[in-house]
Amino acid sequence: MTPCYILGIESSCDETAAAVVRADAPCGERVVSEVVLSQLEDHRPYGGVVPEIAARAHLSALQALVAEAMQRAGVGYGDLAAVAATGGPGLIGGVIVGVMAAKAIAMVHDKPFLAVNHLEGHALTPRLSHDVPFPYLLLLVSGGHCQLLVVEGVGQFRRLGTTIDDAAGEAFDKVAKMIGLGYPGGPAVQAAAVGGDPRRFDLPRPLKGRPGFDFSFSGLKAAVRRSIEQMPPGPLSAQDKSDLAASFQAALVDSTLDRVRRAVRHFRANWPQGTALVVAGGVAANAPLRAELTTLAAREGLDFVAPPLKWCTDNAAMIAWAAAERLALGQSDPLDFKPRPRWPLDPDAPKARGAGAVKA
């Protein structure tokens, strides 16, 4: 049987990435090659991603990264079954760079082109590393998105809840900047929290105990700011920073677990055939959150599945795999596909005010 190789390209934010997956390989052996170039140092001085800098960096690096991924895979363009790229949502300049590169390769070599929803890439990543059957409950949690979804199949999503203001990863970045921990915020806060007292600062647990499945982190972020303002004038000590980080992280995890717990019970009641609680996205790399989700899933009788840490943040392997799932269903996209800065997974879900609507 001819191997089914798919080239994937990811350029939606601040990582330029290319990967080749073999769709017909056993679970655990599907990623043939992957290359990721982080732009972290380009954006660190600004404390966040600058779209124009990101787009120019993608344009400069992508051709070489694709060539390297193909060389590492040991395949030629003629061996590919399809070419895929993130078609959105994301920073539109970077998305355009990746889509145009994938279209060009597909057209020149007469291969199917697939435009992948970046969020679906995250949502299907667990099926790249684990054989997770549909349906499953997904906590999609990253810098721009925080949603609870039931993944019923490829392209079939039921949104239960979303953030009404900030996403969790955005809150991590902003709090880290307030405390003086640098960028990116998630790893910096987690590292600082190790030596901190999570009970020193009495921070709120937004929406905890409330009906529904939505998230809110803006009030928690504001409470951290007030705590800093109430401290004696002058720079924060190392212990102050650790205690603030620990208190913030504990509050965010606690409030998130409350929303997930409610969603788990709803999922079990309405999708009784479902067997797994899945977490994906950049914040899925947070160790305390993973530990609490593991305990919650076991208590509720569900398997807990989280991708390897390298596939929590943006990568091209997840884009290639999502394309593989779609290609197996006979799907592809026309070469006149238009990149989408906004692209909800569940277009029928009610509109929300926060990041779940604006950035999805």
Side-chain angles (χ1 to χ4, degrees):
M1 183 173 64
T2 303
C4 184
Y5 294 112
I6 297 175
L7 169 65
I9 294 171
E10 157 59 24
S11 59
S12 67
C13 192
D14 60 342
E15 276 92 19
T16 313
V20 176
V21 303
R22 181 171 173 178
D24 55 333
C27 185
E29 301 176 16
R30 291 167 176 156
V31 180
V32 183
S33 70
E34 58 179 328
V35 185
V36 180
L37 178 64
S38 173
Q39 301 175 9
L40 183 60
E41 294 307 316
D42 296 327
H43 301 286
R44 193 189 300 276
Y46 306 98
V49 179
V50 181
E52 179 65 18
I53 291 175
R56 290 179 180 274
H58 290 308
L59 186 61
S60 174
L62 186 57
Q63 183 177 354
L65 259 68
V66 169
E68 183 176 351
M70 294 293 290
Q71 183 179 30
R72 289 187 185 185
V75 299
Y77 291 105
D79 300 317
L80 296 173
V83 183
T86 297
L91 302 177
I92 192 61
V95 173
I96 290 173
V97 170
V99 166
M100 295 304 293
K103 284 182 179 181
I105 295 169
M107 182 173 64
V108 168
H109 298 281
D110 194 24
K111 301 296 179 181
F113 164 72
L114 292 101
V116 173
N117 185 317
H118 178 82
L119 302 182
E120 184 162 30
H122 280 302
L124 297 178
T125 300
R127 289 170 55 85
L128 173 62
S129 55
H130 302 74
D131 286 321
V132 185
F134 298 120
Y136 52 86
L137 178 63
L138 170 68
L139 171 63
L140 178 57
V141 57
S142 68
H145 308 278
C146 191
Q147 302 179 38
L148 279 162
L149 304 119
V150 177
V151 184
E152 299 179 319
V154 178
Q156 301 174 42
F157 300 91
R158 190 80 61 88
R159 198 189 78 197
L160 302 182
T162 185
T163 178
I164 61 174
D165 40 58
D166 293 346
E170 181 182 3
F172 266 110
D173 285 341
K174 290 180 177 178
V175 166
K177 188 173 183 178
M178 291 180 204
I179 299 174
L181 297 177
Y183 176 83
V189 168
Q190 179 175 311
V194 172
D197 178 2
R199 297 174 298 276
R200 178 178 169 188
F201 296 94
D202 185 17
L203 299 178
R205 272 60 175 166
L207 298 184
K208 184 174 181 179
R210 302 280 188 90
F213 313 105
D214 287 340
F215 301 87
S216 173
F217 299 108
S218 181
L220 173 57
K221 180 187 65 181
V224 173
R225 167 64 68 189
R226 287 194 297 272
S227 296
I228 295 172
E229 291 171 348
Q230 291 168 4
M231 297 180 71
L236 297 174
S237 69
Q239 192 59 53
D240 290 336
K241 293 181 179 181
S242 291
D243 292 346
L244 278 165
S247 298
F248 164 74
Q249 181 174 255
L252 184 141
V253 170
D254 194 17
S255 58
T256 300
L257 261 290
D258 175 78
R259 315 317 290 163
V260 177
R261 187 179 298 110
R262 294 181 60 86
V264 164
R265 291 168 184 170
H266 179 78
F267 175 68
R268 292 187 63 201
N270 293 277
W271 287 268
Q273 72 275 34
T275 61
L277 168 63
V278 170
V279 63
V283 182
N286 181 268
L289 179 60
R290 280 196 180 215
E292 292 292 344
L293 289 171
T294 301
T295 301
L296 171 62
R299 186 181 299 127
E300 297 291 342
L302 294 174
D303 297 326
F304 176 65
V305 180
L309 295 181
K310 65 179 179 178
W311 293 335
C312 288
T313 52
D314 293 349
N315 64 89
M318 71 179 189
I319 301 304
W321 177 251
E325 296 253 34
R326 289 188 54 207
L327 191 67
L329 297 176
Q331 300 177 12
S332 63
D333 293 294
L335 290 177
D336 63 356
F337 169 86
K338 296 180 181 179
R340 302 179 61 176
R342 301 175 184 174
W343 193 353
L345 286 176
D346 180 1
D348 297 325
K351 290 186 178 181
R353 289 180 294 151
V358 174
K359 299 182 181 178

